[in-house]
Amino acid sequence: MLFPNIEAFDLGKYVRKDVSNLQDEKGRAYFDMGLRLMLSYQHEMASQCFLACLEISKYCALAHALLALCHSPNYNFKGEAYYESAHHPEEIDMHDLLCVFPSQQVADRHSKLAVETIEELRKMHRKNTKIGKKGKGPNKNKGKSKTNGNDNGTAPPNQDESSLPSLISDVETQLIFAIRKLTCHPGLEHTFSDDIVGRPYADAMRSVYEKYPEDPEVAYCFAEALMVLNAWQLYEYPTGKAVSPDVEETRQVLEKALAIHKDHAGLCHMYVHLSEMSAH
């Protein structure tokens, strides 16, 4: 399976510091490059990097979610153009790399996989905890022959917590569930897209942002979600008056985030678009 050569180009050194279940340096490198490409609006190559990451780090739920986001509407590609060209139900069982890009089916698949990964990890940890509690109970087999290789004949000890993949952090979990709202209706009629997925996604991202206002990717996703709802129609001409309260909210989010993360490509990119008067 061919994946991008991440050594072939340089997009800087930006990384998201805390990402759950990235396995080894190669998995980390693919995730980091995927994120840099996504923030630079190179969505197709970014999605391939996230796929490569998941080949190595199958429990990295955030890679699933960001891959789904790469296949979703964005500021440059939304509405009728997106929803008519990105619906490919005949490719639902095809490998992601063989699907037309972008694909609502791929977005739906990977946002669902992200949620399922969260639930799978929770079940693994709950099961491990139950086994651990049984192993710590009174020794009912005292005096009997050894079982399962344990000297005292008790139930086998629970698996070492350090050997389990970790639970997904709360900020990642909230971000994943928000992205799921955006991507769970493949084949949606574009005239209903804002009401059914666009606005619910923006509202969900607002809740995540209120809880994690200093997280740069959360701020970026929230700002973009608001801007996509008003893409290229942010201001009245020639007065410059904002056409929606979303515009002022976006400005506040971006300026607050940029005061902390001055060189974040995604935040800078959104702020450039926020500053444009033209509808083209």
Side-chain angles (χ1 to χ4, degrees):
M1 193 175 299
L2 296 176
F3 290 114
N5 177 7
I6 56 178
E7 297 177 356
F9 43 87
D10 181 8
L11 290 177
K13 304 297 183 183
Y14 179 76
V15 298
R16 181 175 176 84
K17 293 181 180 179
D18 298 316
V19 182
S20 302
N21 297 323
L22 281 177
Q23 301 298 317
D24 71 41
E25 292 183 3
K26 193 170 183 180
R28 175 91 234 188
Y30 273 121
F31 182 91
D32 292 341
M33 184 55 71
L35 180 59
R36 293 177 199 138
L37 285 162
M38 186 191 82
L39 297 176
S40 304
Y41 264 47
Q42 300 299 315
H43 293 109
E44 185 169 7
M45 191 173 290
S47 72
Q48 293 172 11
C49 286
F50 289 130
L51 278 174
C53 171
L54 287 163
E55 287 288 313
I56 302 164
S57 308
K58 70 175 184 176
Y59 290 112
C60 183
L62 189 60
H64 278 300
L66 295 184
L67 196 163
L69 196 60
C70 287
H71 280 267
S72 302
N74 60 64
Y75 194 76
N76 288 339
F77 193 34
K78 61 154 283 182
E80 182 177 2
Y82 170 81
Y83 283 99
E84 289 192 354
S85 64
H87 181 45
H88 306 287
E90 71 281 0
E91 297 181 344
I92 193 167
D93 295 322
M94 292 177 64
H95 188 280
D96 303 291
L97 291 177
L98 300 177
C99 291
V100 174
F101 184 92
S103 166
Q104 294 176 54
Q105 281 65 38
V106 173
D108 175 46
R109 177 188 305 161
H110 281 278
S111 65
K112 184 178 180 182
L113 284 169
V115 173
E116 289 176 350
T117 299
I118 292 171
E119 295 304 321
E120 181 182 356
L121 290 167
R122 287 174 176 173
K123 287 179 181 178
M124 289 170 61
H125 280 261
R126 283 198 297 269
K127 182 178 180 180
N128 192 56
T129 300
K130 288 179 181 179
I131 293 173
K133 287 180 179 178
K134 288 180 181 178
K136 293 178 181 178
N139 183 3
K140 296 180 180 180
N141 296 310
K142 189 173 182 179
K144 297 182 180 179
S145 62
K146 299 175 184 178
T147 60
N148 297 315
N150 297 313
D151 290 341
N152 61 7
T154 60
N158 60 317
Q159 185 177 353
D160 183 1
E161 288 282 349
S162 64
S163 68
L164 285 173
S166 66
L167 292 169
I168 307 302
S169 69
D170 185 65
V171 61
E172 292 172 276
T173 298
Q174 298 304 317
L175 186 55
I176 286 165
F177 279 107
I179 291 171
R180 181 65 183 151
K181 286 182 180 291
L182 178 65
T183 59
C184 65
H185 294 287
L188 180 65
E189 168 58 44
H190 75 89
T191 54
F192 304 118
S193 62
D194 285 355
D195 291 336
I196 294 176
V197 296
R199 182 61 66 180
Y201 171 55
D203 290 342
M205 281 308 311
R206 181 182 293 104
S207 297
V208 185
Y209 175 76
E210 288 172 351
K211 193 171 183 181
Y212 298 101
E214 296 187 356
D215 185 298
E217 277 69 65
V218 169
Y220 163 77
C221 287
F222 179 34
E224 186 188 37
L226 291 173
M227 292 182 70
V228 168
L229 290 169
N230 304 275
W232 306 103
Q233 296 177 356
L234 302 179
Y235 308 101
E236 292 179 355
Y237 180 81
T239 65
K241 180 181 178 182
V243 300
S244 165
D246 293 336
V247 178
E248 183 54 34
E249 186 173 19
T250 302
R251 182 183 303 280
Q252 292 174 6
V253 169
L254 288 176
E255 291 183 350
K256 182 176 180 179
L258 282 166
I260 305 170
H261 310 284
K262 294 179 172 60
D263 298 321
H264 189 278
L267 296 170
C268 291
H269 188 172
M270 290 296 98
Y271 200 79
V272 168
H273 284 307
L274 182 72
S275 303
E276 296 168 331
M277 279 291 292
S278 174
H280 307 286

